[in-house]
């Protein structure tokens, strides 16, 4: 992590580290123009949540991991923020799940795609991670979306049955749900369109979710997918946590 000099004992260390990762990614041309705004919104919701994994988020994470492990064609979709914040962790998770990752960015340019691919390939090499990285040569479209943001690969996103889309845009999330996929959303904002559209929504910070998934991936989490799961209830629990916290009832 090059010139990052913050002391790990600093109370805001994790937050500073994530900001630094985004600054570095910005210099390398990996990010969308609105990446910092998206991150700031995430930070604000993380404050409200208490910068911790809520029990409802843990339940959703276990459910998501179970869906990924029992999928026929799972795929992890990556955008600029995800690669910048957690490129290594997302590759490690994909290796554990034995599935590909696909770079699928909303604001698509050849320059950004190259910068993101280059960054991930460098991590793969340095960490000896064996994972297929898709997305460089799209050969399919996500139905119902217009423009370059619809581009994807047939062997990755198009044919996937379970797809994880951290920090996703609402339209694309909706289009993936309409394709009949199990769509796992990671979003700190329980009110976002993606959070409400997703099949399984994890209201938690990306790097915490990935750390949990990596840690639990060896566990026996393969729940029956017919077992009851209520995503609306998961979202309501996250909102109730915020409401109780700020009404002072948890003091
Ligand atoms: O790389 P691209 O072109 O695909 O663009 C990526 C961004 C993130 C810029 C783009 O998808 C975008 O504009 O996203 P939105 O619509 O701002 O939504 C991002 C959501 O992610 C917001 O609801 C944030 O609260 C949430 N979020 C931001 N950072 C984190 C987060 N959720 C979990 N962990 C985070 N670190």
């Amino acid at each position: 992590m090059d010139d990052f000099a913050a002391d790990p004992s600093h109370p805001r260390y994790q937050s500073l580290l994530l900001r630094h990762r985004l600054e570095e990614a910005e210099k390398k041309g990996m990010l969308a123009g609105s990446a910092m705004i998206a991150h700031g919104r995430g930070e604000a919701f993380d404050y409200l949540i208490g910068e911790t994994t809520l029990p409802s988020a843990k339940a959703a994470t276990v459910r998501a991991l179970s869906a990924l492990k029992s999928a026929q064609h799972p795929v992890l979709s990556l955008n600029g923020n995800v690669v910048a914040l957690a490129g290594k962790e997302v590759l490690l998770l994909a290796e554990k799940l034995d599935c590909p990752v696909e770079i699928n960015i909303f604001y698509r340019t050849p320059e950004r795609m190259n910068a993101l691919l280059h960054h991930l390939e460098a991590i793969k090499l340095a960490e000896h991670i064996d994972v297929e990285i898709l997305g460089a040569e799209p050969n399919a479209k996500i139905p119902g979306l217009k423009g370059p943001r619809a581009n994807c690969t047939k062997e990755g996103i198009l044919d996937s049955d379970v797809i994880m889309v951290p920090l996703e845009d609402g339209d694309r999330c909706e289009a993936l749900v309409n394709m009949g996929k199990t769509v796992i959303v990671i979003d700190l904002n329980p009110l976002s369109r993606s959070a409400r559209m997703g099949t399984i929504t994890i209201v938690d910070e990306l790097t915490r979710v990935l750390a949990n998934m990596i840690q639990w991936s060896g566990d026996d989490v393969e729940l029956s997918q017919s077992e009851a799961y209520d995503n609306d209830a998961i979202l309501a629990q996250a909102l109730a946590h915020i409401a109780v916290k700020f009404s002072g009832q948890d003091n």
Side-chain angles (χ1 to χ4, degrees):
M1 272 271 92
D2 42 67
D3 61 344
F4 184 61
D7 182 340
S9 65
H10 190 287
R12 304 297 311 152
Y13 177 80
Q14 190 60 20
S15 167
L16 294 173
L17 176 64
L18 296 186
R19 286 180 172 200
H20 176 76
R21 288 181 183 169
L22 286 175
E23 284 169 23
E24 290 300 305
E26 166 63 25
K27 286 180 204 157
K28 293 182 188 165
M30 289 161 52
L31 299 183
S34 56
M36 301 294 186
I37 299 169
H39 187 73
R41 180 155 50 185
E43 278 192 344
F45 274 99
D46 210 12
Y47 264 71
L48 297 177
I49 283 164
E51 297 179 310
T52 187
T53 299
L54 301 177
S56 55
K58 181 174 179 187
T61 304
V62 169
R63 184 70 183 199
L65 202 48
S66 160
L68 285 164
K69 286 178 83 170
S70 52
Q72 296 291 315
H73 298 290
V75 66
L76 310 183
S77 176
L78 310 183
N79 65 21
N81 286 46
V82 175
V83 173
L85 293 172
K88 178 175 152 188
E89 292 72 14
V90 90
L91 288 175
L92 284 172
L93 178 64
E95 188 176 51
K96 284 187 182 293
L97 294 170
D98 194 19
C99 76
V101 298
E102 179 162 339
I103 302 177
N104 189 252
I105 56 179
F106 189 91
Y107 302 102
R108 192 184 181 105
T109 64
E111 294 77 17
R112 282 192 65 208
M113 286 300 293
N114 280 341
L116 292 166
L117 273 166
H118 187 264
H119 185 76
L120 286 179
E121 291 294 353
I123 296 172
K124 263 181 72 173
L125 203 63
E127 304 291 333
H128 308 288
I129 302 173
D130 182 18
V131 164
E132 189 178 10
I133 301 173
L134 301 169
E137 288 166 23
N139 54 6
K141 300 247 181 228
I142 300 172
L145 288 179
K146 291 200 177 76
R149 65 184 179 153
N151 291 346
C152 70
T153 70
K154 175 166 166 43
E155 56 279 24
I157 289 180
L158 195 80
D159 285 348
S160 65
D161 53 347
V162 178
I163 177 167
M164 187 155 91
V165 286
L167 288 56
E168 185 56 282
D169 154 76
D171 286 350
R172 276 207 310 202
C173 182
E174 184 170 14
L176 294 167
V177 170
N178 287 344
M179 289 171 80
K181 300 181 189 303
T182 296
V183 180
I184 299 165
V185 170
I186 301 174
D187 195 328
L188 279 159
N189 177 2
L191 297 167
S192 77
R193 275 188 65 229
S194 301
R196 287 183 284 120
M197 296 290 323
T199 321
I200 302 169
T201 302
I202 305 170
V203 182
D204 198 1
E205 201 282 321
L206 171 73
T207 61
R208 289 200 300 269
V209 176
L210 292 172
N212 286 337
M213 283 190 164
I214 290 167
Q215 191 187 336
W216 302 333
S217 61
D219 297 356
D220 185 15
V221 293
E222 289 190 43
L223 312 168
S224 157
Q225 292 301 304
S226 59
E227 220 169 283
Y229 174 81
D230 184 345
N231 204 48
D232 290 339
I234 291 283
L235 294 177
Q237 284 167 36
L239 283 169
H241 172 86
I242 293 171
V244 167
K245 193 161 183 263
F246 287 90
S247 68
Q249 290 172 37
D250 67 340
N251 290 335

